[in-house]
Structure formats: structure tokens, C-alpha cells
Amino acid sequence: MSDTDTDAKVAAYFERPGHRHAVEQGIVDGKLPLKFAYAGSAAHTHDRLARHEGYQAVTGAAANVRETFRSAGLDEVPAIVEIGPGNGLNSMTILRRLGDAKRPPRMLLGLDFSETLLGMAEANFRRELGEVSFTGHVWDVEAEPTAAVDSWRPPETPVPVLLLGNTIGNFEQPSAALGHVRRSMRMGDTLVIGATLRRDGINARSMTEPYRNATFTEAALEPLHACGVSPADVCFTVDYIDDEVVGFAVLRRGLNILGHELPPGHRVRCFVSHRFTPDHIHSIVRAAGLVVGVSRIDEAANHIVVTAAKENSAEGCTS
Ligand SMILES: C[S@@+](CC[C@H](N)C(=O)[O-])C[C@H]1O[C@@H](n2cnc3c(N)ncnc32)[C@H](O)[C@@H]1O
């Protein structure tokens, strides 16, 4: 894809039946599940955002992931699963870093809510990292477990399951989502979570700085635009409240959606990214029935990687 293609504005669209209604209901309720900021035409705005320098400052830290693979004894894994690979660019960075592993991975299963992002990731892999075979599968990790990991994995092969880029900070109920991940894993598989750490003593302004640009605003508002809400009819604010970067769309004029008259000033939370302490991540992992393994903090990047495994219980043997 050329830069010109990347920058081109794609006409607004939803990916699947039901998405438009779910987004409209979210606008009425004042809370839009963040997964819709990655699907349909929003995937193209996310793709632009993911190429933005500020985005890397928040989600990067491939070196920390690589080192965690070493510490956790994951240096001979032929196949990797990634939940939320986005456009695949960060996945490729990590796979390149794993090129010095005893056995570099040659297969990647990308599981994502966004079929459009999976298509982009597949094309990016084919063009830029042809030696790794990329398979995409649509899955909403917040909704239910998936059988896709088991049907894809090479026979008798434990796999690392990556959840990187602070995607865990986007979930409404992180422990419930990790519970679905646990039920999609087998004994011997390792969940690898990459998250952004809370910074004490930092002011809201500098915390939200990476999000104060036109590319991010466009990405956050795209689901509303796909519902026909004109950019001129909303303004966007971003703030740091209770360890969360939160973005709100505020209606400039009244709007009728699903039979509801929404007044000017109606606020819709359309972005959320939680910041964690190490203890918080560990407690989420444990609440999901997983056992914490390696924990690796990169102070400079403000980033933590935590590995987790299934407990040795009857439920863990087959499901
Ligand atoms: C913050 S981006 C991270 C992308 C990539 N890992 C990176 O570091 O650039 C979040 C990714 O998770 C996906 N995602 C968000 N909510 C999801 C859900 N409920 N189920 C599955 N994927 C989801 C998004 O589509 C997107 O690809």
C-alpha cells in the first residue's frame, strides 16, 4: 500500500449486521464499546493512527516482549497466537526480534474483532514478512471463548497467546475477557500480556498529549460518523481520569437516534485506555483463573509484560 492509499479517506461503513445498531445504542447510552473503533471504516482510521509516532509511544515496547520470551523459556515456539494484532505492524516488529530465537516462529494466528484489520495484517505480512504464514480469524474476546486456537495449532504444540499494545486497557471487563482467553487455551499454552503502566505524579495534560492530534480524534469519532453523525455536529475531548485516558464525543446539536431525542451537550464515551499498576494486572490475571508467571517492567517505556498460564485443574485439561 502506498502512502497515498494509506492517507485516502475511506467511505464510512460497518462490518457486520448488528454493528450499526450496537453503535447507535452505545451513543444513546453514552458509552461506546471500544471494539467498534477498530472495525469497518474505523479500521482505516486506526491504521492511520497506528502509523503515527505518538501511538508507538503508548503501545510499542517490542524489546520488552522479546526479553520476556527469553525469561519465560519461550525461545523455541514454531507458532504464535495474537489477540488484537491490529494492522500487524507491531506483530511483525516482534517476529523480527524473535529472529534470533533458537526456533523462530513461522506461523501466526491473528484473532481480532475487526475483519478489516485482519485483512490489512494479512496483506502486510504477505508483502513484508513472507516467511511467516499469517492466518486471520474474527473473534470477540469480550463475548465468549473460541475454538479457533485449538483447530489452528500444529498437533501437540503449546503456543504463546499474545495480548499486546495495552489492548487489555480497552476492555470493559478485563478479567471476563481473560477468562474467555483461558478457556480458549490449553494446558502448556502461555498468555503474554503487554500493558501500559500508571505513572505517578504525572499531570493529565502530559498523559493525554499523545492523543491530542487530528488523526486520533478522527479514529475515535469514526463509529459515530459511520452512523451518519456529521463531524461538524460533535466536538471531542480527551482527559485522564481515575487511571484512564478517556475520550468523549459531545453533541453540538440535538440528535434523534433509535427514537431517542439526545440533547446538545449529550456526552458519549468513545475511547478508553486504562493504565495499570503491576499489582492490578496480576489481580486481573488471577481473577480470570490464570497463574502469574514472569513479570517484566521496562521503566523507560512505562511498560509491563506479564505471562500467565492455566492452572492445573480439570477444567483446564480440555476446554
Ligand atoms: C490497541 S489496538 C492494538 C493493536 C496491536 N496489538 C498493536 O500493538 O498495534 C487493539 C486491537 O485489539 C482489537 N480488539 C479490540 N477489542 C477487541 C475484542 N473485543 N475482541 C477482539 N479484538 C479486539 C482491535 O481490533 C485492535 O486490533
Side-chain angles (χ1 to χ4, degrees):
M1 192 186 289
S2 71
D3 284 351
T4 320
D5 291 335
T6 308
D7 291 345
K9 177 78 182 123
V10 174
Y13 69 94
F14 287 103
E15 259 176 30
R16 296 194 284 285
H19 281 198
R20 183 184 184 109
H21 185 273
V23 170
E24 287 181 336
Q25 190 61 55
I27 294 174
V28 171
D29 296 343
K31 209 185 215 187
L32 210 56
L34 200 68
K35 58 196 176 194
F36 293 108
Y38 299 104
S41 46
H44 296 275
T45 40
H46 175 73
D47 181 51
R48 278 195 288 280
L49 178 69
R51 294 166 191 274
H52 202 271
E53 210 179 308
Y55 179 85
Q56 290 304 324
V58 174
T59 62
N64 200 15
V65 177
R66 170 66 190 107
E67 282 314 310
T68 305
F69 265 65
R70 231 187 286 278
S71 318
L74 297 171
D75 233 35
E76 290 184 72
V77 285
I80 289 185
V81 175
E82 183 174 9
I83 303 164
N87 62 8
L89 295 186
N90 279 340
S91 323
M92 288 193 288
T93 305
I94 287 160
L95 282 161
R96 287 192 185 103
R97 282 185 180 263
L98 285 167
D100 66 356
K102 276 192 194 147
R103 186 173 175 194
R106 287 289 174 257
M107 294 168 68
L108 187 119
L109 172 67
L111 299 167
D112 207 292
F113 179 73
S114 171
E115 193 171 357
T116 310
L117 279 176
L118 284 172
M120 287 179 197
E122 187 178 8
N124 287 334
F125 265 83
R126 209 180 312 117
R127 194 180 47 243
E128 294 178 36
L129 202 62
E131 65 271 31
V132 176
S133 131
F134 179 93
T135 305
H137 183 88
V138 173
W139 178 39
D140 182 352
V141 60
E142 293 174 272
E144 59 191 352
T146 181
V149 178
D150 250 357
S151 46
W152 171 84
R153 79 172 70 234
E156 309 302 322
T157 307
V159 288
V161 179
L162 312 186
L163 179 64
L164 305 178
N166 203 38
T167 299
I168 190 171
N170 290 160
F171 296 152
E172 297 293 333
Q173 295 180 301
S175 280
L178 291 196
H180 298 147
V181 176
R182 176 179 55 78
R183 289 165 63 191
S184 310
M185 290 163 61
R186 264 199 207 173
M187 300 294 292
D189 293 345
T190 309
L191 177 61
V192 181
I193 303 166
T196 310
L197 288 171
R198 189 180 80 184
R199 263 180 162 165
D200 289 327
I202 191 164
N203 63 32
R205 181 80 207 178
S206 47
M207 203 64 195
T208 54
E209 202 51 52
Y211 301 90
R212 294 184 185 280
N213 57 74
T215 312
F216 178 75
T217 302
E218 199 190 336
L221 293 180
E222 181 63 26
L224 283 88
H225 297 165
C227 285
V229 179
S230 154
D233 288 347
V234 278
C235 69
F236 183 68
T237 64
V238 61
D239 217 330
Y240 187 61
I241 306 164
D242 294 338
D243 298 337
E244 287 183 339
V245 177
V246 269
F248 288 100
V250 186
L251 298 187
R252 289 185 202 275
R253 61 177 71 185
L255 198 65
N256 186 309
I257 293 195
L258 298 177
H260 296 265
E261 285 297 339
L262 306 178
H266 177 77
R267 283 200 327 171
V268 183
R269 195 210 66 189
C270 53
F271 178 77
V272 64
S273 178
H274 196 89
R275 300 297 187 259
F276 299 91
T277 61
D279 282 351
H280 189 193
I281 289 280
H282 295 164
S283 69
I284 289 169
V285 165
R286 290 192 191 104
L290 291 155
V291 180
V292 175
V294 171
S295 236
R296 225 179 160 278
I297 293 175
D298 178 344
E299 298 278 359
N302 226 32
H303 184 260
I304 186 168
V305 182
V306 174
T307 69
K310 266 182 124 156
E311 280 192 292
N312 194 3
S313 68
E315 192 251 339
C317 294
T318 50
S319 63

